[in-house]
Amino acid sequence: MTVVEVGDFVEYRIRLQNTSAGTDTLRNILINDWRPSGFRYADGTAMLDGVPQQPDQPGAGLLLWSVPPLAASG
């Protein structure tokens, strides 16, 4: 999709990978996802490894995602 109009749905993905050498597990991961002006999050549409997730929405276009620990090469 190269053009978006009012009322269209835009799907996007956030991919996170632990590229640490060895066996380092990342913990306390928090993603700050700033929505573009005019965009609104559609409740209940987010998934993490196939499981529905709900972000915190403190306002001003910010979504906060808390991610479980991520093993090396995960």
Side-chain angles (χ1 to χ4, degrees):
M1 181 182 304
T2 58
V3 176
V4 179
E5 297 181 14
V6 174
D8 285 350
F9 285 90
V10 177
E11 179 180 324
Y12 71 97
R13 298 171 190 258
I14 297 173
R15 293 181 190 242
L16 183 64
Q17 182 178 8
N18 180 354
T19 59
S20 300
T23 59
D24 294 336
T25 296
L26 297 178
R27 300 180 192 288
N28 301 316
I29 303 166
L30 183 63
I31 296 174
N32 296 318
D33 183 15
W34 292 95
R35 291 172 289 171
S37 178
F39 278 58
R40 186 175 69 87
Y41 170 70
D43 289 334
T45 60
M47 304 285 269
L48 175 63
D49 293 331
V51 177
Q53 302 293 311
Q54 186 64 25
D56 291 326
Q57 298 184 56
L62 177 62
L63 300 175
L64 297 176
W65 302 93
S66 181
V67 180
L70 187 60
S73 299

